[in-house]
Amino acid sequence: MTTRLFLFIAVCLPFATTAQSDNKTKAVRFMQWLSNNEADSAATLVAPEVAGKLSGPVLQGAWQQISAAYGKCESVSSSSAANDASISVDGTFEKAILVFAINFNDKGIIGFFVSGSKERNLVISAFKEEEKAIDVNGGKLYGTLMLPDNKTTFPIVMIIAGSGSTDRNGNSIPLLTAGSYRLLAEALAKNGIGSFRYDKRGVGESSSFNPPATSALFNDYISDAATLVKELHKDKRVSKVIVAGHSEGSLIGMVAAREEKAEGFISLCGAGEPINYTLSRQLKQQLPIMGNKIDNILDSLKNGNTVKEVPPILQSIFNPQLQPYLISWIRFDPREEIKKMKMPVLIIGGGTDVQVPVADAEVLHKALPSSKKLIIDSMNHILKNAPSDRAANIATYTKADLPLSRELVEAIIAFTK
């Protein structure tokens, strides 16, 4: 699972309502200064309590990291405002359009991070693609249907992304740019299988929802996925729909696939336990000193209670705005949900996955013994071959030129056909 901990470029303190009406102007000015290499000027808009963490050199380093991956920023423009404390700004780069969230308190900017992205159609696919906009409750979801050559009817694999701001291509800029979902779609098309991949609500093109995506619950993502399966079933070219959920998308996918009677389901590096256990394990590995606090927060959320006091270092996971979503997510147990599935199921885990261990795949298979299980010893969480060393493993997350695990692709093709 790619948690929101990895999405922040800079520190984000608790959201605070501010009466200032010009935060939108300040947010655009902040981004313009960064794009013009005037990080010290941008730092003058930062709140005093985070001045050390968002100094000019820190901001400059973060911007250089983004520019190295996506080229020069050509323009910035205000996109929307969830409230005065959170302003969305679009940055048009040479290789992508990035959506930044700029967070404020009453003294200035307290954090900024990439909340979504979309490619600028600079990559020309060798296969025919159809762009889709599908109505769901509260807005539209945008996605890409990739078609195999010379096929009038074909099976479809619907790919559901992992957590956070992971987009339809498998990217969550700037720290995840592996393009795994696009690579999978292309591999399937080469073998006569279509695919549909989409931006979840609040990500990429699927950013406009009422109420905003920041207020969505886990059930909303299940409902969205179920609606998409239903729409794909209506396409007369589609012979069957196989749902493939990656990471968080595994749990979303298994419920949606069951509700809309998909013809098959694939779990890709999906958790085998409720998310509070997974988060506890992951966060304690990274922040062992916060172990007791992490467990206390998760216990409260499990009981349906929000937590007001959250240490700044845990804000990216337990921000008050995210807590209702986590409460709704914890209520779903993958072990119980997979037991209810009557369709063919394939469970795939990676031996070098540093986020979701193979034990989770074993748990899911035990819960549904009729499922097929495949452990790919050399595969990591982004579905590519990688070493077990954590640093070297994570380094692959930004390498779009690395191919997917061949064993993974062959297994999905065989299962789908």
Side-chain angles (χ1 to χ4, degrees), residues 32-44:
Q32 288 174 334
W33 274 332
L34 289 179
S35 66
N36 292 330
N37 293 317
E38 299 178 61
D40 287 339
S41 296
T44 63

Side-chain angles (χ1 to χ4, degrees), residues 122-129 146-147 182 185-186 189 197:
L122 300 177
V123 178
I124 300 176
S125 175
F127 300 93
K128 182 179 179 181
E129 292 185 323
M146 185 175 284
L147 309 176
R182 171 183 280 277
E186 292 174 347
R197 61 193 198 275

Side-chain angles (χ1 to χ4, degrees), residues 160-310:
I160 303 177
S163 63
S165 61
T166 308
D167 66 15
R168 74 182 78 176
N169 294 319
N171 298 325
S172 182
I173 299 168
L175 299 182
L176 176 60
T177 55
S180 296
Y181 306 153
R182 171 183 280 277
L183 292 175
L184 178 56
E186 292 174 347
L188 294 172
K190 291 177 183 177
N191 288 274
I193 300 171
S195 64
F196 181 70
R197 61 193 198 275
Y198 66 98
D199 291 334
K200 300 174 298 181
R201 59 173 66 198
V203 176
E205 289 188 84
S206 305
S207 57
S208 299
F209 273 78
N210 186 23
T214 51
S215 65
L217 301 180
F218 195 78
N219 311 62
D220 294 314
Y221 291 92
I222 293 173
S223 176
D224 290 348
T227 298
L228 296 178
V229 174
K230 185 176 182 178
E231 290 299 312
L232 290 174
H233 271 145
K234 293 179 181 178
D235 192 325
K236 295 181 179 180
R237 299 169 297 179
V238 176
S239 60
K240 59 182 175 181
V241 178
I242 307 296
V243 175
H246 177 235
S247 194
E248 178 192 23
S250 170
L251 179 54
I252 293 170
M254 67 176 68
V255 181
R258 186 184 73 244
E259 289 183 353
E260 286 301 324
K261 297 180 173 58
E263 284 72 27
F265 172 70
I266 304 170
S267 173
L268 300 171
C269 302
E273 57 191 2
I275 189 58
N276 51 312
Y277 293 107
T278 302
L279 280 177
S280 177
R281 171 175 47 79
Q282 289 184 341
L283 293 174
K284 286 178 181 178
Q285 287 175 349
Q286 300 173 56
L287 304 167
I289 195 172
M290 300 297 295
N292 290 336
K293 188 64 177 178
I294 291 167
D295 283 341
N296 290 339
I297 293 173
L298 288 170
D299 286 343
S300 180
L301 296 177
K302 181 181 178 181
N303 292 324
N305 302 315
T306 57
V307 179
K308 293 182 179 179
E309 299 295 331
V310 178

Side-chain angles (χ1 to χ4, degrees), residues 13 78 100 177:
L13 295 183
S78 175
F100 293 85
T177 55

Side-chain angles (χ1 to χ4, degrees), residues 76-150:
V76 297
S77 60
S78 175
S79 176
S80 63
N83 50 59
D84 285 340
S86 183
I87 308 297
S88 182
V89 176
D90 289 345
T92 301
F93 291 75
E94 292 175 309
K95 299 179 183 179
I97 298 173
L98 309 186
V99 183
F100 293 85
I102 317 295
N103 295 334
F104 288 82
N105 66 11
D106 57 356
K107 297 178 183 178
I109 292 171
I110 56 174
F112 82 110
F113 63 98
V114 178
S115 61
S117 68
K118 54 185 177 180
E119 294 186 10
R120 295 187 61 192
N121 298 320
L122 300 177
V123 178
I124 300 176
S125 175
F127 300 93
K128 182 179 179 181
E129 292 185 323
E130 294 178 2
E131 297 303 311
K132 299 289 186 181
I134 299 175
D135 290 316
V136 297
N137 186 29
K140 289 183 181 291
L141 291 179
Y142 292 83
T144 302
L145 183 67
M146 185 175 284
L147 309 176
D149 288 335
N150 304 317

